[in-house]
């Protein structure tokens, strides 16, 4: 669309009278588009910063999930054989969570799977029903329950934050500004292959920036994704110790 705007500008140039394309007119258009270009650069930088912050937050949350799952598994190992059933639930939960967030078949990630939630709530219920026969085991249980609370909090943060994204109207406004800029480029640019190629490459660069914003704002989809390694490592630790 941005490149098409430049081509439209070239077509408009052919239809305009010559006195509409003199140096004075070009100067006014250049100054006006300078304001638009500055606004576009500022908003684009703000959008990239916001999307990058969203991406980093999600990446950190996945790391926290992996770390707390490993902590919980270690506590249950220290508790003894009585916690083996709970560890099995933790193993199942981690495997399902991994599949939900990072589907191996290329499906859409699921942040809120009722089956995964049911497994985790069963894990919490079993922990709550356990009664340690020593002060040490009671302490281990209290720490394990605290970790499940932390995991629940991170889970709902992931779900809630998924609703918040880059506002579509803002992207449309930025796209409109970019179209105006490229139309002004085409309006006064000489008609030759070099100019056309340069305008096309600039349009591709702009499209890449917008696509990067969209990918960063949806960390579980697109080309740029959060790392699967923390959850995969956590599952390996549970399986192999």
């Amino acid at each position: 669309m941005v490149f098409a705007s430049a081509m439209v500008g070239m077509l408009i140039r052919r239809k305009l009278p010559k006195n509409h394309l003199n140096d004075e007119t070009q100067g006014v258009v250049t100054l006006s588009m300078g304001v638009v270009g500055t606004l576009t650069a500022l908003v684009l930088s703000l959008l990239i910063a916001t999307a990058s912050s969203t991406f980093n937050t999600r990446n950190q949350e996945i790391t926290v999930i992996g770390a707390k799952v490993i902590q919980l598994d270690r506590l249950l190992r220290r508790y003894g054989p009585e916690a083996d059933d709970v560890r099995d639930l933790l193993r199942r939960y981690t495997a399902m969570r991994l599949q939900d967030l990072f589907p191996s078949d290329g499906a859409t990630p699921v942040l809120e799977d009722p089956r995964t939630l049911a497994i985790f709530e069963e894990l919490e219920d079993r922990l709550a029903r356990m009664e340690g026969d020593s002060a040490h085991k009671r302490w281990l249980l209290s720490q394990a329950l605290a970790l499940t609370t932390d995991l629940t909090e991170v889970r709902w943060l992931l779900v809630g934050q998924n609703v918040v994204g880059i506002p579509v109207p803002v992207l449309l406004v930025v796209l409109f500004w970019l179209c105006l800029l490229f139309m002004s480029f085409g309006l006064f640019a000489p008609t030759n292959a070099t100019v056309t190629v340069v305008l096309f490459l600039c349009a591709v660069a702009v499209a890449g920036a917008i696509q990067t914003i969209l990918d960063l704002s949806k960390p579980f989809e697109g080309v740029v994704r959060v790392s699967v390694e923390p959850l995969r490592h956590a599952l390996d630790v549970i399986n192999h110790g």
Side-chain angles (χ1 to χ4, degrees):
M1 183 181 292
V2 174
F3 178 68
S5 299
M7 297 299 98
V8 169
M10 290 182 176
L11 292 176
I12 292 175
R13 176 181 182 178
R14 297 178 182 178
K15 304 294 183 180
L16 289 176
K18 288 186 178 181
N19 62 324
H20 285 212
L21 300 172
N22 54 31
D23 293 341
E24 290 79 4
T25 301
Q26 183 174 355
V28 172
V29 172
T30 300
L31 288 174
S32 301
M33 290 302 105
V35 175
V36 175
T38 301
L39 288 174
T40 303
L42 288 173
V43 175
L44 274 177
S45 63
L46 177 62
L47 290 177
I48 290 175
T50 301
S52 178
S53 176
T54 299
F55 182 88
N56 291 334
T57 299
R58 298 290 185 84
N59 202 46
Q60 179 63 28
E61 287 168 350
I62 296 299
T63 303
V64 168
I65 291 175
K68 291 190 179 295
V69 163
I70 293 174
Q71 285 181 279
L72 181 55
D73 179 67
R74 298 303 302 173
L75 287 172
L76 295 175
R77 285 176 186 269
R78 292 164 61 188
Y79 190 89
E82 305 97 309
D84 285 347
D85 290 344
V86 182
R87 286 191 61 240
D88 183 61
L89 285 174
L90 181 62
R91 181 185 298 106
R92 290 168 58 192
Y93 168 76
T94 306
M96 293 174 69
R97 196 67 171 138
L98 179 62
Q99 180 61 26
D100 288 343
L101 297 178
F102 306 95
S104 57
D105 56 359
T108 302
V110 179
L111 298 182
E112 190 177 3
D113 188 340
R115 295 171 302 174
T116 306
L117 179 59
I119 292 292
F120 187 76
E121 289 179 343
E122 183 181 352
L123 183 154
E124 287 183 306
D125 291 341
R126 290 199 185 184
L127 275 177
R129 288 194 296 266
M130 292 172 66
E131 296 181 359
D133 55 9
S134 67
H136 177 63
K137 286 189 174 182
R138 286 192 291 273
W139 178 83
L140 290 173
L141 281 176
S142 67
Q143 295 300 306
L145 286 170
L147 285 172
T148 61
T149 300
D150 293 341
L151 285 169
T152 300
E153 181 181 355
V154 176
R155 173 192 179 86
W156 294 116
L157 279 174
L158 283 173
V159 174
Q161 290 168 352
N162 191 54
V163 179
V164 182
I166 300 297
V168 175
V170 175
L171 280 178
L172 292 177
V173 169
V174 171
L175 185 59
F176 173 69
W177 290 346
L178 288 168
C179 289
L180 281 181
L181 281 173
F182 274 74
M183 186 179 294
S184 70
F185 296 158
L187 191 61
F188 295 100
T191 306
N192 58 56
T194 300
V195 169
T196 301
V197 170
V198 169
L199 288 175
F200 175 76
L201 293 177
C202 287
V204 170
V206 168
I210 293 178
Q211 186 60 48
T212 299
I213 292 173
L214 293 175
D215 283 345
L216 289 176
S217 64
K218 295 182 179 180
F220 295 101
E221 304 174 31
V223 177
V224 183
R225 300 188 182 188
V226 295
S227 176
V228 67
E229 291 307 316
L231 279 182
R232 186 175 291 163
H233 175 64
L235 187 60
D236 287 342
V237 169
I238 295 174
N239 287 331
H240 307 295

